[in-house]
Amino acid sequence: MTSMLSHTIRSLPASSAWTARLFARSLSCSPQVQAAAAQPKTKKTLAKSGVKNVVVVEGVRIPFLQSGTSYADLMPHDLARAALQGLLTRTSVPRDVVDYIVYGTVIQEVKTSNVAREAALGAGFSDKTPAHTVTMACISSNQAMTTGVGMIAAGQCDVVVAGGVELMSDVPIRHSRKMRKTMLTLNRAKTLGQKLALVAKIRPDYFAPELPAVAEFSTSETMGHSADRLAAAFGISRLEQDEYALRSHSLAKKAQEGGLLLDVVPFKVPGKDTVTKDNGIRPSSLEQMGKLKPAFVKPYGTVTAANSSFLTDGASAILLMSEEKALEMGYKPKAYLRDFVYVSQDPKDQLLLGPTYATPKVLEKAGLTMADIDVFEFHEAFAGQILANLKAMDSDWFAQNYMGRKSKVGAPPLEKFNTWGGSLSLGHPFGATGCRLVITAAHRLRKEGGQYGLVAACAAGGQGHAMIVELYPQ
């Protein structure tokens, strides 16, 4: 891909001044200033004749924490249960009113493979309420939400709770395949002689564990390695990536201190103190960030621990209803969930370009343009990944040669883009991030005076998702 994109690299800005200029611009534009400057809009609603309106009543998440910290001794269903209980507390929705529960997760705990069901029972939902778990890498809770949207739009349900959870502090470590096969055979052996014969076949290498890796099965390449190559292909420097990561942490810190992260609910960790805020928000300096060594492509790579999202524990939950049901129950919804798309592309050279492919498709489906969007919330897996998407979206050559489009869709303006921080700073529990993006978009639209938000994310396997969020009328 590097050679094929050489034309793109020559035609797109690659100097750090580009990022620095937008970085300063976005930091100087506070939410209060944005809200004051934004005038009430009179754009059309995206309601469709004959299609039920699906609304977001509320969305919450327990604090996202760096793995190995306060959640380290828990299990995934503990985190999901806490998010569900937080949603119940905030909304007071009767448990037996919920028709269905869908949760997303990536690395499953084998004891609770259907974590949606276990968490729902633990949170006190009726045992008559069905629940299932979905997985689609980093867009797992996006899939959970759109599954709920489909159920409501089809008239099968009126009230659905969707969410996601990930616990990177405790991931499955397996015996080697040879050892697993021997142990299973040993379990079926009937005589002592058969058992001893099997034990005698065990060799030292059988005891080597199979450790989990955040890598593509089809390519055996880690996402970090792909992000490094993607940054190189688009001519994105180490300094640009560090500047963007610093922007994310600085904006997240400002949002946290300003009380803007309204979706966070406290979680009393058993045997420990109550956790009230994300602990991965750590603004540094370009000088300190510049001292870190490459994390994946050594020694000349540009992706480091400082400009990558960190391994995160966390869970989210969101309450979806048909508009009629929400109003009947006396709720004031936050937003409509409108058109959405899923995309797939080359899992090797374009692994993390999901937003580039999904954004123009969802805009066309909704009959909107980039200029109509007031708030952008994109998942930040790596600074290099997000900057590569912005450059790809702003390239006619890429649109024509890779996407089959006549022209580019254009890059989102940074003053509208992830202005309360993103996954680089807030954290990225794989299965839970999508719900955070959606509820943040809804809160930002209310705060900043806009009407349409666009949520987009990349995912392992070379997939992506985008959705239009429309503010509910005040």
Side-chain angles (χ1 to χ4, degrees), residues 87-109:
L87 184 67
L88 290 170
T89 298
R90 182 167 288 188
T91 63
S92 298
V93 63
R95 290 169 171 83
D96 56 359
V97 169
V98 176
D99 299 310
Y100 209 98
I101 297 170
V102 193
Y103 249 72
T105 195
V106 178
I107 302 178
Q108 293 188 349
E109 164 60 56

Side-chain angles (χ1 to χ4, degrees), residues 49 70 72 83 98 122 179 201 232 258 344 450:
S49 177
S70 295
V98 176
M179 190 63 170
K201 292 180 180 180
S344 293

Side-chain angles (χ1 to χ4, degrees), residues 22-249:
L22 291 175
F23 169 59
R25 181 181 179 186
S26 62
L27 278 181
S28 64
C29 192
S30 68
Q32 291 78 11
V33 172
Q34 291 176 19
Q39 298 299 317
K41 299 181 185 297
T42 56
K43 298 176 182 177
K44 64 179 181 180
T45 180
L46 298 181
K48 296 181 180 179
S49 177
V51 179
K52 280 191 174 185
N53 287 327
V54 180
V55 296
V56 175
V57 173
E58 184 61 272
V60 303
R61 62 185 176 90
I62 59 173
F64 288 177
L65 303 186
Q66 292 181 326
S67 62
T69 56
S70 295
Y71 300 157
D73 296 328
L74 303 179
M75 293 178 66
H77 73 285
D78 294 320
L79 306 189
R81 179 181 65 226
L84 289 172
Q85 289 173 332
L87 184 67
L88 290 170
T89 298
R90 182 167 288 188
T91 63
S92 298
V93 63
R95 290 169 171 83
D96 56 359
V97 169
V98 176
D99 299 310
Y100 209 98
I101 297 170
V102 193
Y103 249 72
T105 195
V106 178
I107 302 178
Q108 293 188 349
E109 164 60 56
V110 294
K111 291 183 178 180
T112 56
S113 57
N114 187 4
V115 70
R117 176 64 169 171
E118 305 306 333
L121 292 174
F125 283 90
S126 169
D127 59 10
K128 302 297 189 293
T129 303
H132 80 269
T133 301
V134 298
T135 186
M136 202 173 180
C138 300
I139 52 176
S140 292
S141 64
N142 305 67
Q143 183 58 253
M145 284 186 287
T146 57
T147 297
V149 169
M151 287 178 164
I152 295 171
Q156 298 300 309
C157 300
D158 282 319
V159 183
V160 174
V161 171
V165 62
E166 214 69 51
L167 182 68
M168 297 304 295
S169 289
D170 182 25
V171 296
I173 298 176
R174 304 196 300 178
H175 283 290
S176 68
R177 189 176 185 86
K178 292 179 181 178
M179 190 63 170
R180 296 200 306 271
K181 185 176 180 181
T182 300
M183 293 172 72
L184 289 172
T185 305
L186 184 63
N187 191 50
R188 295 192 297 270
K190 296 181 179 179
T191 68
L192 178 60
Q194 290 174 336
K195 293 180 180 180
L196 291 175
L198 287 169
V199 171
K201 292 180 180 180
I202 296 176
R203 297 292 179 265
D205 64 315
Y206 282 31
F207 294 96
E210 288 184 1
L211 300 176
V214 184
E216 293 296 300
F217 181 81
S218 60
T219 65
S220 298
E221 188 174 78
T222 67
M223 284 188 289
H225 193 280
S226 294
D228 231 325
R229 289 195 300 102
L230 194 64
F234 281 92
I236 300 166
S237 69
R238 163 76 178 270
L239 181 57
E240 283 182 295
Q241 294 174 62
D242 286 351
E243 285 174 335
Y244 184 86
L246 179 58
R247 171 190 186 269
S248 183
H249 281 274

Side-chain angles (χ1 to χ4, degrees), residues 330-359:
Y331 289 110
K332 181 63 180 291
K334 292 182 178 293
Y336 295 105
L337 293 187
R338 297 303 194 186
D339 291 288
F340 61 87
V341 299
Y342 289 92
V343 296
S344 293
Q345 62 279 345
D346 175 12
K348 183 173 177 63
D349 289 333
Q350 299 186 21
L351 176 71
L352 303 173
L353 289 181
T356 296
Y357 284 86
T359 295

